[in-house]
Amino acid sequence: MTETVHTFTDDALGDLDAVGLAAEIRSGRVGRQEVTEAAIARVEKVNPQLNAVQFACFERARTARASVGVFSGVPAFVKDNVDVAGLPTCHGSAAFVPHPARRTSAPAEQFLRQGFVLLGKSTLPEFGLTASTEYVGRPATRNPWNTDHSAGASSGGSAALVASGAVPIAHANDGGGSIRIPAAVNGLVGLKATRCRLLDQPGVRSLPVNLVNEGVVSRTVRDTAHYLAAAERYRPHRTLPPVGLVEGPGDRRLRIGLIRHDVLGRRVHPETEAVLDSAARALAGAGHDVTETRLSVDPVFVEDFKTYWALFAILMSASFAAGHGRRFRPRDLDPFTKGLAAKVRRAPLSVLPAIRRLRAGTAVYDAHFTDVDVLLTPVLSHPAPRIGEHAPDQPFDELFGKLIDYVGFTPLNNVGGGPAVSVPHGLMTGNLPGSVQLSAPRGAERTLLELAYQLEAVSPFPKITA
């Protein structure tokens, strides 16, 4: 039975975003403990239906000392693929024997130093390798807008908790769309920053091609903008131009390239295209120059990304086996992860050429901005699938084909290193929120945030409570 699930009510959280809630706490109009208890109550109400919490640490939240930061006192979750001292990290996998981490990783530290009250860790699919937070032998994480449908991935748990109102903001990360995809299907803002803008997990920058970026999912552009500014102050990047705090739309007329075909030249689902066209009209109406264009990417990019995607499964399994010993059981990996590993083993000679070509992806990405300032694309090729359509226990080739058909636009930014943001726009059939992706040259997060503010102003985001 189709159901919309949310926890918005007249408590200490109300319908405030994270910036607004932090201001209420600073002013004394609401108490920090009152906010924590309200958030815990919301999580306990919604999680039985959404299955978005991997580990809760409510007592730890209740007794935590107040910390200073832009978001001091705001309740939040960290995705369960980064270490937080004292909590297990299981990467969405049944292959781990849960064991408390000894120390907090750099990206989790960068997030928590902004003053958040940690309520726990959110769900993700195994190793973050797929686009729906579903499992073998345990309930899927569900979309609060329509619980028959996927919450996306890999930051699916974080997105479901934020969209449902349990918390206003949550940690997320993105190696091929894992911030932007769940943001899109849950009606949220999800920014993947420029490569290395924010701190990374250990070893990420040593990978053959660095794809992974840290960030947040939020219900407003200003939450994402304030988080990026705060994280940047915590650890500024040495060479990238600083973004600073972006507080509203810009006044520059931008050249926007509208893209409606994926790398393989395929058009998207009609409802997805209708959302894209609506956003294009809104931006043109706001004074920008919107011109239709195409992605200039060799179709071999798709095969190369598939190969590297599969290689990730082997690299992570080997890393976890080395680091966790008997607390990691490879036999318990899910069928999709095993299928990815088998794909590489069947064609090992394809790996090095794929890596070589992907390393050239930065120049390929940069070339798209010779004549435009921003690209406007779909986030995904079709609306969020129903639960079960992307389940990891179906035949590997069948699921992998579905994922390639679904994730048609996000990976280029990971390979190219450029920033991109998912911005909610309109509603589709089944009460599913629409979304578009804005991409810009490396280092141009300010441009994206200013444009996202403008789209939010001229076309207010859909509300789950409507």
Side-chain angles (χ1 to χ4, degrees):
M1 177 179 174
T2 299
E3 187 177 9
T4 299
V5 175
H6 70 79
T7 58
F8 290 101
T9 188
D10 187 21
D11 59 10
L13 277 70
D15 62 356
L16 295 168
D17 67 357
V19 171
L21 184 58
E24 290 293 293
I25 295 169
R26 282 194 302 273
S27 72
R29 287 188 288 270
V30 295
R32 182 177 182 277
Q33 199 65 33
E34 179 188 9
V35 167
T36 299
E37 291 297 338
I40 290 171
R42 288 189 178 198
V43 173
E44 290 179 332
K45 177 182 177 183
V46 78
N47 193 56
Q49 295 158 288
L50 299 183
N51 307 305
V53 177
Q54 182 65 41
F55 300 106
C57 57
F58 296 157
E59 289 308 311
R60 173 171 166 163
R62 287 177 169 123
T63 59
R65 295 194 308 176
S67 57
V68 177
V70 171
F71 296 101
S72 183
V74 173
F77 279 79
V78 166
K79 184 176 174 181
D80 186 35
N81 64 351
V82 296
D83 285 346
V84 174
L87 295 180
T89 305
C90 290
H91 298 268
S93 177
F96 286 89
V97 177
H99 184 77
R102 294 180 179 179
R103 59 183 63 88
T104 299
S105 64
E109 188 74 22
Q110 186 168 43
F111 179 80
L112 294 171
R113 282 293 186 94
Q114 310 318 316
F116 294 113
V117 175
L118 182 65
L119 298 187
K121 304 189 83 176
S122 59
T123 55
L124 70 154
E126 186 165 272
F127 300 174
L129 289 173
T130 185
S132 186
T133 307
E134 298 184 51
Y135 309 96
V136 176
R138 58 179 281 204
T141 299
R142 293 180 177 269
N143 191 318
W145 289 78
N146 182 332
T147 55
D148 284 345
H149 288 258
S150 167
S154 63
S155 309
S158 286
L161 290 164
V162 173
S164 67
V167 292
I169 192 170
H171 166 259
N173 45 36
D174 189 315
S178 292
I179 291 173
R180 292 160 288 157
I181 292 167
V185 301
N186 287 281
L188 304 176
V189 177
L191 173 69
K192 185 207 83 67
T194 300
R195 180 185 290 140
C196 298
R197 168 78 72 187
L198 302 179
L199 296 179
D200 292 317
Q201 298 185 56
V204 165
R205 298 189 186 187
S206 300
L207 290 169
V209 184
N210 179 7
L211 303 180
V212 182
N213 303 262
E214 303 293 324
V216 296
V217 287
S218 68
R219 294 194 296 267
T220 63
V221 176
R222 76 169 182 171
D223 273 1
T224 291
H226 278 71
Y227 176 75
L228 181 62
E232 188 179 50
R233 286 194 299 271
Y234 172 76
R235 187 67 59 85
H237 193 275
R238 293 179 180 178
T239 58
L240 287 171
V243 179
L245 178 58
V246 184
E247 298 188 87
D251 55 10
R252 184 161 63 106
R253 186 183 187 213
L254 298 171
R255 300 167 301 166
I256 299 176
L258 171 65
I259 292 176
R260 60 177 80 249
H261 298 82
D262 68 11
V263 171
L264 298 177
R266 301 174 299 183
R267 291 184 79 135
V268 297
H269 187 279
E271 285 201 76
T272 301
E273 190 164 21
V275 168
L276 180 69
D277 288 337
S278 173
R281 289 192 297 271
L283 292 171
H288 300 290
D289 180 14
V290 180
T291 305
E292 195 160 329
T293 185
R294 289 249 187 168
L295 291 171
S296 299
V297 182
D298 190 318
V300 75
F301 172 85
V302 175
E303 291 304 314
D304 290 342
F305 193 84
K306 287 164 64 177
T307 297
Y308 194 63
W309 187 350
L311 179 64
F312 245 59
I314 290 179
L315 293 176
M316 285 193 283
S317 295
S319 173
F320 297 143
H324 293 265
R326 294 182 179 178
R327 292 196 296 269
F328 181 72
R329 304 164 301 200
R331 68 182 181 277
D332 292 335
L333 292 170
D334 76 25
F336 183 68
T337 302
K338 291 177 180 177
L340 285 170
K343 174 179 169 58
V344 173
R345 295 189 183 104
R346 286 195 302 268
L349 296 180
S350 67
V351 172
L352 288 180
I355 289 172
R356 185 179 65 251
R357 287 188 292 265
L358 289 175
R359 283 177 170 169
T362 301
V364 173
Y365 179 83
D366 291 350
H368 284 86
F369 300 97
T370 302
D371 299 315
V372 299
D373 304 301
V374 171
L375 294 178
L376 169 65
T377 75
V379 181
L380 294 157
S381 298
H382 62 76
R386 288 181 173 272
I387 296 293
E389 289 181 17
H390 285 182
D393 56 354
Q394 62 190 281
F396 172 77
D397 289 337
E398 182 179 330
L399 175 55
F400 207 24
K402 290 178 182 178
L403 290 169
I404 298 305
D405 290 343
Y406 185 44
V407 185
F409 296 89
T410 55
L412 180 60
N413 294 82
N414 297 84
V415 173
V421 62
S422 294
V423 184
H425 187 80
L427 278 173
M428 297 185 289
T429 300
N431 197 44
L432 293 171
S435 182
V436 294
Q437 177 176 258
L438 302 169
S439 303
R442 287 175 295 130
E445 285 91 338
R446 174 169 285 271
T447 298
L448 290 184
L449 289 168
E450 288 177 343
L451 194 58
Y453 268 120
Q454 190 165 41
L455 191 55
E456 183 180 27
V458 299
S459 182
F461 300 161
K463 291 185 176 294
I464 198 170
T465 54

